[in-house]
């Protein structure tokens, strides 16, 4: 496992600035079920505008370094899931099940660190952990990974928050642990920050329209190419069987003759 400090250094080097915090549910519980099918799904919700590629959240980079298989793959031709009554019921069931059955606990209380993106453990998880679990369950139930996007938003008070967005032929819908009723992205009470790319799950794109840049010339790595930041972290690891320098291997830490005066001065 790559050291957490190394993960953080890698993230800082890439220019990461967004910290997800304040993830716990405020206790709002919505019984969504299939009733919204009559109003929510038939109202053609627009897909949210997407901007240029941006650096993924630090916690996501760390998650991929520990679980690279979870971040590989992608598609060059994403299509939108057809929202049938059965699929609508499915995302509501998964959203409600995870929200109701996974205790919600902040990372600092669960792991002793302010940010640790992972799947919930026996003690529970926070917002990004629940979003990751919902995504995993829906993929196992036949949803394409390119239609299930971990998304970072800002709440009204400036706190960061993570949700899951399901992209369908009727629009983009929000699976949230704070507002249980599934609504279109335009109805969610958040300011949009960044989101996984549909083409490659390890790439993130800008959702903040105030800082959009033209993305027409951007390219993505070919399918099957190594995840760039995982590859970079692997290059930083020392070789498992790399021999020590001869002097250290033999337990000889005496300075060479030419270095002796300097070493002696350093010790005084």
């Amino acid at each position: 496992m790559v050291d957490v400090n190394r993960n953080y250094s890698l993230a800082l080097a890439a220019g990461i600035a967004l910290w997800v915090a304040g993830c716990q549910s405020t206790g709002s519980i919505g019984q969504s079920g299939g009733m919204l099918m009559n109003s929510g799904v038939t109202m053609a919700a627009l897909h949210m505008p997407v901007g240029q590629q941006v650096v993924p959240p630090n916690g996501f980079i760390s998650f991929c370094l520990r679980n690279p298989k979870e971040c590989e793959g992608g598609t060059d031709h994403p299509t939108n899931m057809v929202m049938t009554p059965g699929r609508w019921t499915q995302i509501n069931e998964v959203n409600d099940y995870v929200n109701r059955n996974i205790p919600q606990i902040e990372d600092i209380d669960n792991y002793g660190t302010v940010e640790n993106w992972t799947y919930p453990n026996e003690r529970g998880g926070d917002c990004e952990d629940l979003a990751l679990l919902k995504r995993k369950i829906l993929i196992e139930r036949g949803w394409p990974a390119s239609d299930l996007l971990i998304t970072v938003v800002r709440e009204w008070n400036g706190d960061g928050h993570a949700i899951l967005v399901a992209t369908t032929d009727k629009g983009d819908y929000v699976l949230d642990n704070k507002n249980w009723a599934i609504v279109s992205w335009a109805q969610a009470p958040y300011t949009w920050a960044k989101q996984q790319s549909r083409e490659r799950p390890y790439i993130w794109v800008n959702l903040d329209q105030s800082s959009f840049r033209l993305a027409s010339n951007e390219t993505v790595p070919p399918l099957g190419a190594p995840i760039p930041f995982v590859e970079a972290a692997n290059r930083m690891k020392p070789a498992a069987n790399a021999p020590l320098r001869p002097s250290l291997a033999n337990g000889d830490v005496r300075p060479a003759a030419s270095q002796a005066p300097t070493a002696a001065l350093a010790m005084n």
Side-chain angles (χ1 to χ4, degrees):
M1 180 186 299
V2 179
D3 184 77
V4 172
N5 290 331
R6 185 176 298 157
N7 298 347
Y8 187 66
S9 299
L10 180 63
L12 286 179
I16 289 172
L18 190 58
W19 170 45
V20 176
C23 288
Q24 282 188 286
S25 170
T26 57
S28 60
I29 298 178
Q31 296 296 333
S32 47
M35 295 302 293
L36 195 58
M37 190 69 185
N38 293 327
S39 58
V41 175
T42 56
M43 292 169 54
L46 296 176
H47 297 283
M48 69 178 72
V50 172
Q52 74 278 11
Q53 295 177 19
V54 293
V55 178
N58 179 44
F60 178 80
I61 289 179
S62 180
F63 174 79
C64 291
L65 291 174
R66 298 191 310 272
N67 309 279
K69 296 296 183 184
E70 299 281 346
C71 303
E72 294 174 351
T75 177
D76 290 327
H77 306 286
T79 58
N80 299 328
M81 171 64 81
V82 176
M83 181 62 87
T84 64
R87 290 297 188 188
W88 178 250
T89 298
Q90 192 174 62
I91 61 173
N92 277 279
E93 288 177 346
V94 170
N95 192 54
D96 289 347
Y97 174 82
V98 172
N99 289 346
R100 183 174 294 114
N101 290 281
I102 303 300
Q104 295 181 36
I105 180 173
E106 296 287 356
D107 286 336
I108 192 66
D109 299 317
N110 202 0
Y111 302 104
T113 182
V114 294
E115 199 64 20
N116 183 40
W117 287 43
T118 186
Y119 292 113
N121 60 15
E122 65 279 358
R123 299 182 65 190
D126 65 355
C127 56
E128 70 270 4
D129 304 342
L130 272 63
L132 286 166
L133 180 59
K134 293 170 188 177
R135 184 175 187 269
K136 180 179 179 67
I137 294 173
L138 287 170
I139 289 174
E140 292 172 350
R141 295 191 178 189
W143 284 69
S146 59
D147 289 343
L148 300 168
L149 309 173
I150 306 297
T151 304
V152 171
V153 297
R154 289 287 184 188
E155 298 184 78
W156 65 272
N157 59 1
D159 284 347
H161 182 47
I163 57 178
L164 180 66
V165 170
T167 298
T168 77
D169 64 335
K170 300 297 190 297
D172 298 336
Y173 288 89
V174 173
L175 284 70
D176 194 358
N177 68 303
K178 291 195 171 186
N179 303 283
W180 284 25
I182 294 179
V183 298
S184 88
W185 74 273
Q187 295 172 302
Y190 300 124
T191 299
W192 299 88
K194 60 176 71 175
Q195 179 184 73
Q196 284 182 292
S197 163
R198 301 192 67 195
E199 285 77 19
R200 304 291 184 271
Y202 55 84
I203 292 176
W204 282 60
V205 292
N206 187 21
L207 300 180
D208 181 0
Q209 296 185 52
S210 68
S211 59
F212 269 14
R213 297 197 313 269
L214 293 178
S216 58
N217 295 326
E218 290 187 330
T219 60
V220 298
L223 284 171
I227 300 174
F229 54 80
V230 172
E231 188 176 36
N234 287 336
R235 287 198 300 267
M236 293 170 63
K237 291 187 200 176
N241 298 317
L244 295 172
R245 288 181 298 169
S247 59
L248 295 179
N250 296 329
D252 183 4
V253 295
R254 291 174 297 175
S258 61
Q259 298 176 333
T262 303
L265 288 173
M267 295 178 63
N268 291 330

